Amino acid sequence: ADDPNERDATMAAMMGVRVSSGARSARSGHSRVSRSSRPSRVSVVASSAGHLSSSDLTFKGKPASSTCVVVLGPTGYIGKYTTRELIARGYDVVAISRSKSGIGGAGDEQKVRDDLPGATVVFGDATDKDSLKKAFQDIGKPVDAVVCCLASRTGGVEDSWLVDYQATRNGLDVGLEFGMSHYVLLSAICVQKPDLVFQKAKLKFEQELVDASSASDGKLTYSIVRPTAFFKSLAGQVEVVRGGGPYVMFGNGELCACKPISERDLAAFISNGVDDETYYNKILPIGGPGEALTPKQQGAILFEKFGIEKPFYVTPPIQIMDVVIKGLDAVAGGFPEN
């Protein structure tokens, strides 16, 4: 479904899990943060705790309305939801976007502004440090926090190091120059087993962020969010199976398991990384509600729900992804950098 709410409801029904409505405050009873040099790892699940008004929220003692939060990657899938969530919480949100955003640079400056009402939109390229510095200068005031939702388009070698590492590193370096004291990073759960280049690039920056915080004498804090799969990434399988097609899974379908999360819940959790100090200096794996399911289990549920008596699976070997990534990396140069 094109409507995210309808799509999430469909996926939840298929998987037999609950999707929280407006899970603005995924506070899960964490202990008060320790400012130690070593990050703690907390496994949490988004919960439906109701929307927080701006009067409830502060950032290190400052009211949300007086807190300037910069979002990098605000036009991406999760970045857009996160930007809107931060606006709803009453923060002074600045969205830094390329002048030509989206796949192939299809979105222009006016489209970005139209998509993000309530945000101050400035333009710059996070992969270019000088361009990003100019964008921060255009903000015209000190920055309190940066929320980085950047992600490479292809996962290929060049794109991964340029975006998943260098652009996110630029966000840290430039943010510090303009007064930033907290950095929220959208990473990925899969960096726990870094086999692919984009995972290694993300993990490298994660470590550098932790090191920078440790060396800052408490002046820099961070929240590293590692989400599991999104409902959107699974929704395509629903329509294929509904139409009588196969369910695609790599290997035997039991190489991994996940608890899918909706974009709304993830955006709420990322935003908690700004206003909830119990999220500070932590690496935060996050998934949706219910039990973790393997791709094989997910497929079985779909076939059962649709009354298909003879399940049809397509099981390419996992090694095929190496070929796909190399191919994507080869054509990545065909997309405009701006």
Side-chain angles (χ1 to χ4, degrees), residues 69-80:
V69 180
V70 170
V71 181
L72 302 178
T75 62
Y77 176 54
I78 297 301
K80 189 177 298 183

Side-chain angles (χ1 to χ4, degrees), residues 27 84 103 110 125 172 192 290 300 326 333 336:
R27 303 177 190 272
R84 291 168 178 170
I103 297 176
Q110 189 56 51
D125 185 351
L172 173 63
Q192 295 175 129
K326 289 179 180 178

Side-chain angles (χ1 to χ4, degrees), residues 83-323:
T83 302
R84 291 168 178 170
E85 173 67 19
L86 289 164
I87 293 168
R89 294 189 181 202
Y91 287 104
D92 179 6
V93 178
V94 178
I96 297 182
S97 169
R98 294 172 299 161
S99 58
K100 295 291 185 181
S101 62
I103 297 176
D108 60 14
E109 293 185 3
Q110 189 56 51
K111 184 178 188 320
V112 176
R113 294 189 180 97
D114 292 343
D115 285 346
L116 301 172
T120 299
V121 179
V122 297
F123 296 94
D125 185 351
T127 65
D128 182 331
K129 196 169 185 177
D130 290 337
S131 175
L132 187 60
K133 186 177 295 188
K134 174 63 165 58
F136 271 76
Q137 290 171 342
D138 291 343
I139 296 172
K141 55 191 167 187
V143 170
D144 295 295
V146 171
V147 177
C148 181
C149 296
L150 295 168
S152 59
R153 288 185 300 263
T154 68
V157 176
E158 182 178 354
D159 206 28
S160 294
W161 287 113
L162 182 63
V163 178
D164 295 308
Y165 172 72
Q166 191 58 61
T168 54
R169 176 77 212 198
N170 290 345
L172 173 63
D173 293 340
V174 176
L176 288 171
E177 290 185 39
F178 287 83
M180 177 200 73
S181 65
H182 187 63
Y183 195 97
V184 181
L185 173 67
L186 174 61
S187 186
I189 196 73
C190 58
V191 302
Q192 295 175 129
K193 295 182 178 180
D195 295 321
L196 303 176
V197 176
F198 84 91
Q199 296 165 343
K200 295 175 182 178
K202 286 180 180 293
L203 202 58
K204 177 177 172 60
F205 177 70
E206 280 192 16
Q207 187 59 56
E208 291 183 4
L209 176 58
V210 171
D211 291 344
S213 176
S214 299
S216 72
D217 195 25
K219 295 179 181 178
L220 171 66
T221 53
Y222 65 86
S223 300
I224 297 173
V225 179
R226 291 179 175 176
T228 184
F230 310 145
F231 276 150
K232 180 181 179 181
S233 66
L234 304 176
Q237 297 262 46
V238 174
E239 297 307 317
V240 171
V241 172
R242 188 202 303 270
Y247 183 87
V248 180
M249 59 187 185
F250 291 103
N252 63 3
E254 298 178 342
L255 300 175
C256 61
C258 71
K259 300 197 291 185
I261 187 171
S262 76
E263 58 267 33
R264 292 166 294 157
D265 282 353
L266 179 55
F269 189 82
I270 293 170
S271 299
N272 289 346
V274 175
D275 53 64
D276 188 339
E277 291 193 12
T278 65
Y279 284 47
Y280 288 10
N281 291 352
K282 287 187 171 73
I283 293 174
L284 300 159
I286 174 68
E291 296 297 321
L293 299 173
T294 65
K296 187 175 182 179
Q297 289 174 315
Q298 294 172 23
I301 291 171
L302 290 180
F303 287 121
E304 179 183 355
K305 293 290 185 180
F306 291 129
I308 298 173
E309 297 181 358
K310 293 183 178 181
F312 176 25
Y313 294 97
V314 172
T315 57
I318 189 65
Q319 290 79 8
I320 198 172
M321 288 303 298
D322 294 334
V323 177

